[in-house]
């Protein structure tokens, strides 16, 4: 399994790149600007440094190939050949969905922050809302690209279709994404709690790839069922 560790490490690097960008987007005052602007907070206004958007998108672009290497290689742990091929296809779409989500959120925040910082607060709010509405279909597709492979991972592990132990489900990304996303309900509304909320998706991947680095899960020989 040592030869696979480099791929799990690549997955961690990719998730860390995306995670840093998400933290830069999320570590802000979480005050509500408008009910229609779910990802835009009051901290994205006057004092928000737009260089954070540049860094976020740069790290996202750098992170895609690393996340792709780690994601696609997970298919080698699946037993059935047809399931393996399908899983590899969906896992290849995971980084694509990740990048689209990254871009659409960054774009909306950038438009709002730029408008507020140039004295067009009311117009910035309306424009950001219109842009979010325009990008929503792309976001729906991107969440499917990201969500389907992560759900398939849980299903295959639970059904014993991988070389991983069933208890591996305790480290699957979706579980940790949900747990960390729930932190905001127990902590005061602060930049820290909002940052954890935006970072949670990548944290789930980091925990999962970190777990794969520690276990002995050999790729299963090819066989048809």
């Amino acid at each position: 399994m040592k030869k696979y560790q480099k791929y799990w490490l690549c997955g961690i690097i990719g998730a860390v790149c995306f995670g840093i960008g998400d933290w830069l987007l999320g570590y802000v005052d979480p005050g509500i600007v408008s009910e229609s602007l779910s990802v835009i907070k009051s901290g994205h206004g006057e004092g928000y440094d737009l260089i954070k958007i540049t860094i976020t998108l740069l790290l996202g672009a750098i992170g895609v190939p690393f996340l792709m290497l780690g994601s696609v290689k997970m298919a080698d742990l699946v037993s059935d050949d047809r399931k393996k091929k399908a899983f590899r296809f969906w896992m290849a779409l995971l980084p694509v969905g990740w990048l689209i989500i990254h871009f659409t959120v960054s774009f909306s925040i950038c438009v709002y922050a730029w408008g507020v910082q140039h004295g067009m607060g009311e117009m910035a709010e309306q424009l950001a809302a219109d842009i979010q509405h325009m990008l929503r279909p792309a976001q729906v597709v991107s969440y499917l690209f990201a969500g389907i492979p992560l759900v398939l991972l849980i299903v295959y592990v639970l059904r014993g279709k991988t070389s991983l132990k069933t208890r591996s489900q305790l480290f699957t990304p979706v579980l940790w994404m949900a747990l960390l996303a729930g932190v905001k309900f127990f902590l005061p509304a602060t930049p820290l709690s909002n940052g954890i909320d935006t970072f949670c998706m990548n944290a789930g991947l980091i925990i999962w790839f970190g777990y794969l680095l520690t276990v002995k899960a050999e790729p299963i020989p090819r066989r048809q069922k």
Side-chain angles (χ1 to χ4, degrees):
M1 194 59 182
K2 286 185 177 181
K3 69 176 183 178
Y4 279 80
Q5 290 185 344
K6 61 185 178 183
Y7 296 106
W8 311 148
L9 186 58
C10 283
I12 291 175
I13 293 172
V16 167
C17 286
F18 276 102
I20 292 172
D22 282 346
W23 187 264
L24 292 175
L25 296 178
Y27 190 75
V28 297
D29 181 349
I32 296 175
V33 173
S34 169
E35 294 296 337
S36 62
L37 299 175
S38 57
V39 300
I40 296 176
K41 309 298 182 181
S42 60
H44 292 126
E46 191 67 38
Y48 189 74
D49 192 342
L50 292 179
I51 192 63
K52 293 179 180 180
I53 303 291
T54 302
I55 296 172
T56 292
L57 294 177
L58 173 62
L59 288 175
I62 293 172
V64 164
F66 288 98
L67 188 57
M68 179 74 74
L69 285 169
S71 299
V72 170
K73 272 297 175 180
M74 277 194 274
D76 287 4
L77 303 178
V78 177
S79 55
D80 182 87
D81 278 352
R82 287 186 301 174
K83 288 183 172 62
K84 187 192 298 286
K85 291 178 181 178
F87 194 53
R88 182 174 289 112
F89 168 79
W90 283 110
M91 273 299 172
L93 290 179
L94 174 62
V96 177
W98 234 245
L99 186 61
I100 296 173
I101 296 169
H102 217 56
F103 174 78
T104 54
V105 171
S106 297
F107 186 38
S108 300
I109 291 174
C110 183
V111 167
Y112 175 78
W114 189 93
V116 170
Q117 292 169 19
H118 286 78
M120 299 180 291
E122 186 175 340
M123 182 182 294
E125 185 177 327
Q126 183 59 52
L127 183 57
D130 289 345
I131 286 174
Q132 280 195 353
H133 179 73
M134 177 183 67
L135 295 176
R136 190 161 293 124
Q139 283 188 323
V140 170
V141 172
S142 63
Y143 276 109
L144 288 175
F145 284 173
I148 290 175
L150 295 180
V151 171
L152 283 176
L153 175 62
I154 294 175
V155 172
Y156 288 167
V157 171
L158 286 176
R159 295 182 60 196
K161 300 299 183 180
T162 72
S163 58
L164 299 167
K165 302 289 186 181
T166 304
R167 63 173 177 270
S168 298
Q169 65 183 297
L170 297 176
F171 299 92
T172 50
V174 172
L175 174 62
W176 287 96
M177 290 174 190
L179 289 174
L180 291 172
V183 167
K184 64 178 177 289
F185 298 111
F186 301 97
L187 293 179
T190 64
L192 176 62
S193 61
N194 197 64
I196 293 173
D197 188 37
T198 57
F199 182 73
C200 70
M201 291 176 67
N202 294 293
L205 286 176
I206 292 169
I207 291 171
W208 173 248
F209 282 118
Y211 170 73
L212 291 180
L213 280 173
T214 68
V215 298
K216 295 180 179 179
E218 296 295 338
I220 300 176
R222 293 172 59 87
R223 64 174 184 267
Q224 295 288 344
K225 287 190 176 180

